[in-house]
Amino acid sequence: MTVVVKCAGVGRTYPGPPPVDALQPADLTINRGEYVSIVGPSGSGKSTLLNIIGLIDRPTSGHYILDGVDVASLKEADRTALRGQRIGFVFQSFHLLPHRTAVENVALAQLYVGPKARQRFLNAAEALAKVGLSHRAFKMPNTLSGGERQRVAIARALVNQPALLLCDEPTGNLDSATSSMILDILDQMHADGYTIVIITHAPDVAERADRIITVRDGVLHV
Amino acid sequence: MSRRSRLSLRDLFSEALSGLLQRPGRSMLTMLGTVLGIGSFVAILGLTSTAAGQIDKRFTELAATEVRVEDVGADRVSHEMSFPMDAHDRVMAIDGVVTAGLLWPLPLRNPTMSAVPGMGASDEGLSLHAADPGALEAAGPVVASGRLYDAFHEGRAERVAVVGAAVARRLGIQRLESQPAIFLNGTPFTVIGIVSDLRRLPDLLLSVIIPTATALALYGPPIEHPATMLIETRLGAARVVADQVSIALRPDAPNRLKATAPPDPRSLRGNIAGDLNALFLLLASISLVIGAIGIANTTFVSVLERTAEIGIRRSLGARPRHIAAQFLSESAILGTLGGVIGSALGVIAVVAVAVLKSWTAVLDPATTLAAPLAGTIVGVAAGLYPGLRAARIEPIEALRQ
């Protein structure tokens, strides 16, 4: 079984004064195809963990190997490329560009990766079809419902076929019916073989995952 | 290992463009400063060069077709002028001559001049000249009323006179139908024409002008104040005519005459209103700087507004340089568009003024074509700081909400 995320003694201390240990050194392994949820109260350090796993933040201790690449030894440009190509982000507040159509927002994920504009468009249309939004492809985000926006964001996260799908409170801004639809889509992606890490407050959301990791006061309880 | 992120120029351009188009109103307003700055630059440079071109053109058109021949060998002993009696015919035979004629100030001391016989004191401001019909024509006259005298009057040495409009007013002559006379030292002359302008001889506008034959018969040849021949040539012929005219007139003694050709027109061009120009250009520069500050300000605000977008792009693999390039391109496009629109408006202004004034618009291609480029430079300079600021935004901060 291939390991996608391997953390060995990964910790994060924010420099003071006084220094804050946001994340105590911890070990974590996530295999390909796993569906993992990370739960914990706010301020517990789960966002710090997500940022480190997502290559948005650097750990202050330990080693982190993403999809076989030791991230600590990488230059910033290579980390950025790795982030763009191997990780798909889904955010609580969707983070779509307001003046671009749904399909343009999805295509944006490949802007810095390499395909030509036409190919980007085709890939984006295909990703939108996967989340069932082909009929809304040319709508502006402000004409879409919250659930539709999050599905566009999921399509954007999937279009590069990332090694890891990182979802930060993906249902935090949605009502329960819409949440359940989004979670169904994530289940579908899990069934397709994607590796998914989801951060959430909600126990019912966390329970849909294979494995639940709890973070409390910066300490990981695997 | 992943391939490093990249962004093709085409994609960069289209991203920058859609960044601008998502707020078209703001983009237009931002452009305004550059439009005004570049526009006034082009307009000021164009208007001054157009105006200078007109002044030069009028000056050179008259001057370039004018040759004067001075009598430098008037003989006090034999009491003869150097010009032969058939001077007019000899000069007219030279190719390129349009009209030509002799003129001289009359050798009268303190002449009395009056519109009423027996009266009149010497009038300091007015002068008396003899000019043959050819000289009168070559002077570029504008006849206000009546007519000029011609070969008929000249041939019969008629006592007729043409006066400038100011002279007519001072002598109380208003209408020519009654054939008014003026008396020069008591000799009557019929005023047959009033001229409002003599473009080549403006100093003769304050003069009473009579035919040369009349002047010779009454007052003798001009010795103390020698005669001058005024020649109007075809455009471009003046220098050639000047070279030939002395020999054509006096093949036996060409050095008694001195022909003056017009100066080289190119040496006449230039430095008209140079100081005023500099002041206006300073104002245009200030407006350009204000334009640049406007672009910098708007780009900076847009960087702050679009922090989330920057975070998204960074999480999608954009490197800091891609972010910087995007905002820099946006401001460069704004500057270039402003430059293009400004240049166009400037050119339109110059052409409109030229049309209204019936001038020929003169635009220096070097400045006009470089103006949009100046807009680009302004845009790039203005986008530098906001672009670098945008590049320094960390995705972790940008995505936190």
Side-chain angles (χ1 to χ4, degrees):
Chain A
M1 192 171 261
T2 327
V3 175
V4 175
V5 172
K6 181 160 182 60
C7 296
V10 164
R12 180 70 166 98
T13 304
Y14 290 110
V20 177
D21 290 328
L23 189 66
Q24 304 283 351
D27 299 335
L28 175 65
T29 304
I30 297 171
N31 294 315
R32 184 172 303 285
E34 260 197 294
Y35 186 176
V36 177
S37 62
I38 301 175
V39 294
S42 32
S44 61
K46 59 185 193 308
S47 287
T48 304
L49 178 62
L50 187 96
N51 288 339
I52 289 171
I53 293 175
L55 302 180
I56 288 176
D57 201 2
R58 282 173 184 271
T60 45
S61 66
H63 285 282
Y64 170 34
I65 294 166
L66 170 70
D67 208 19
V69 181
D70 186 352
V71 178
S73 63
L74 288 184
K75 289 188 170 142
E76 188 56 45
D78 295 314
R79 269 167 55 92
T80 301
L82 202 62
R83 177 167 67 223
Q85 292 164 37
R86 307 279 180 96
I87 297 174
F89 290 93
V90 177
F91 303 97
Q92 177 175 3
S93 49
F94 324 132
H95 282 323
L96 300 179
L97 298 196
H99 298 277
R100 309 288 180 96
T101 62
V103 70
E104 282 171 348
N105 264 290
V106 177
L108 195 71
Q110 292 194 314
L111 179 66
Y112 305 98
V113 175
K116 294 247 184 293
R118 185 178 157 69
Q119 189 58 47
R120 291 205 298 268
F121 175 81
L122 293 175
N123 295 347
E126 193 182 329
L128 276 179
K130 265 192 209 166
V131 297
L133 271 186
S134 290
H135 61 296
R136 307 290 267 164
F138 297 102
K139 298 286 183 214
M140 289 293 177
N142 59 4
T143 66
L144 299 177
S145 70
E148 286 172 331
R149 287 186 212 182
Q150 195 58 299
R151 279 148 77 191
V152 173
I154 292 173
R156 182 178 65 191
L158 291 176
V159 73
N160 281 327
Q161 297 177 323
L164 181 63
L165 196 58
L166 278 181
C167 310
D168 188 358
E169 301 273 14
T171 59
N173 284 0
L174 303 174
D175 62 44
S176 55
T178 318
S179 294
S180 138
M181 184 179 64
I182 293 297
L183 292 173
D184 288 346
I185 290 175
L186 289 181
D187 283 346
Q188 181 59 45
M189 296 310 140
H190 175 46
D192 287 351
Y194 280 101
T195 311
I196 301 172
V197 173
I198 180 169
I199 282 190
T200 182
H201 280 105
D204 58 320
V205 173
E207 276 160 16
R208 311 230 349 196
D210 302 337
R211 180 150 66 108
I212 299 175
I213 296 169
T214 311
V215 188
R216 196 173 296 275
D217 298 332
V219 182
L220 230 63
H221 302 278
V222 181
Chain B
M1 195 68 239
S2 299
R3 198 169 53 184
R4 286 195 175 179
S5 303
R6 62 211 184 138
L7 184 60
S8 71
L9 270 182
R10 189 163 172 268
D11 288 335
L12 173 63
F13 181 74
S14 83
E15 285 299 309
L17 206 58
S18 44
L20 291 175
L21 291 179
Q22 67 192 34
R23 286 187 174 274
R26 180 197 284 187
S27 298
M28 294 293 242
L29 285 176
T30 308
M31 239 164 29
L32 210 58
T34 319
V35 168
L36 291 178
I38 298 281
S40 33
F41 250 114
V42 170
I44 289 161
L45 290 176
L47 285 176
T48 46
S49 68
T50 299
Q54 306 318 308
I55 293 162
D56 285 356
K57 196 181 163 199
R58 191 201 289 174
F59 191 49
T60 54
E61 190 187 314
L62 272 181
T65 55
E66 177 181 319
V67 174
R68 290 188 189 221
V69 188
E70 310 281 343
D71 180 356
V72 291
D75 193 335
R76 285 165 188 275
V77 181
S78 67
H79 233 61
E80 273 177 4
M81 59 177 175
S82 305
F83 290 102
M85 290 313 289
D86 58 349
H88 181 257
D89 297 336
R90 282 173 178 265
V91 170
M92 290 307 289
I94 300 174
D95 199 18
V97 173
V98 178
T99 54
L102 287 171
L103 67 128
W104 63 81
L106 288 186
L108 292 178
R109 289 182 197 283
N110 299 323
T112 60
M113 203 184 298
S114 158
V116 182
M119 276 189 59
S122 63
D123 196 326
E124 302 280 317
L126 303 182
S127 60
L128 296 166
H129 279 84
D132 66 21
L136 211 51
E137 199 181 322
V142 178
V143 179
S145 63
R147 50 167 298 190
L148 302 174
Y149 50 76
D150 57 21
F152 169 79
H153 304 92
E154 178 76 18
R156 290 167 50 95
E158 290 286 343
R159 291 180 185 181
V160 292
V162 167
V163 300
V167 177
R169 259 197 313 279
R170 279 169 74 165
L171 293 177
I173 298 168
Q174 281 159 355
R175 301 169 64 233
L176 296 180
E177 287 87 344
S178 58
Q179 298 192 317
I182 52 173
F183 297 86
L184 302 181
N185 284 351
T187 312
F189 288 82
T190 308
V191 177
I192 62 168
I194 297 174
V195 289
S196 58
D197 196 9
L198 293 167
R199 291 194 300 148
R200 279 203 177 81
L201 298 170
D203 45 330
L204 261 61
L205 281 172
L206 284 176
S207 195
V208 174
I209 307 165
I210 61 172
T212 49
T214 318
L216 281 175
L218 285 173
Y219 309 113
I223 302 301
E224 263 179 77
H225 301 286
T228 302
M229 177 170 261
L230 181 67
I231 306 172
E232 182 189 339
T233 69
R234 286 204 299 273
L235 204 58
R239 287 177 162 272
V240 183
V241 170
D243 288 343
Q244 302 174 25
V245 67
S246 298
I247 296 170
L249 284 169
R250 288 299 295 263
D252 56 327
N255 53 3
R256 289 182 66 176
L257 299 170
K258 181 169 172 290
T260 314
D264 191 344
R266 271 165 297 186
S267 65
L268 292 172
R269 294 201 185 282
N271 308 330
I272 293 163
D275 294 341
L276 204 63
N277 218 351
L279 180 68
F280 280 132
L281 286 182
L282 185 70
L283 289 176
S285 308
I286 291 172
S287 124
L288 207 54
V289 168
I290 293 172
I293 293 171
I295 292 184
N297 201 25
T298 312
T299 310
F300 195 71
V301 167
S302 132
V303 166
L304 296 181
E305 272 182 357
R306 286 155 69 186
T307 305
E309 174 184 336
I310 294 169
I312 285 295
R313 287 177 185 274
R314 296 279 277 123
S315 78
L316 294 175
R319 299 173 61 183
R321 65 183 58 175
H322 296 146
I323 302 295
Q326 184 179 344
F327 285 99
L328 202 57
S329 308
E330 288 187 14
S331 65
I333 290 172
L334 273 187
T336 309
L337 273 179
V340 169
I341 296 173
S343 308
L345 292 180
V347 169
I348 289 172
V350 171
V351 171
V353 169
V355 166
L356 284 177
K357 297 248 181 187
S358 306
W359 285 350
T360 311
V362 179
L363 285 161
D364 183 1
T367 55
T368 311
L369 295 180
L373 204 67
T376 312
I377 293 169
V378 166
V380 168
L384 227 43
Y385 177 66
L388 290 178
R389 273 296 291 265
R392 279 210 298 270
I393 292 177
E394 289 295 329
I396 186 169
E397 292 156 27
L399 292 171
R400 184 182 296 151
Q401 287 202 329

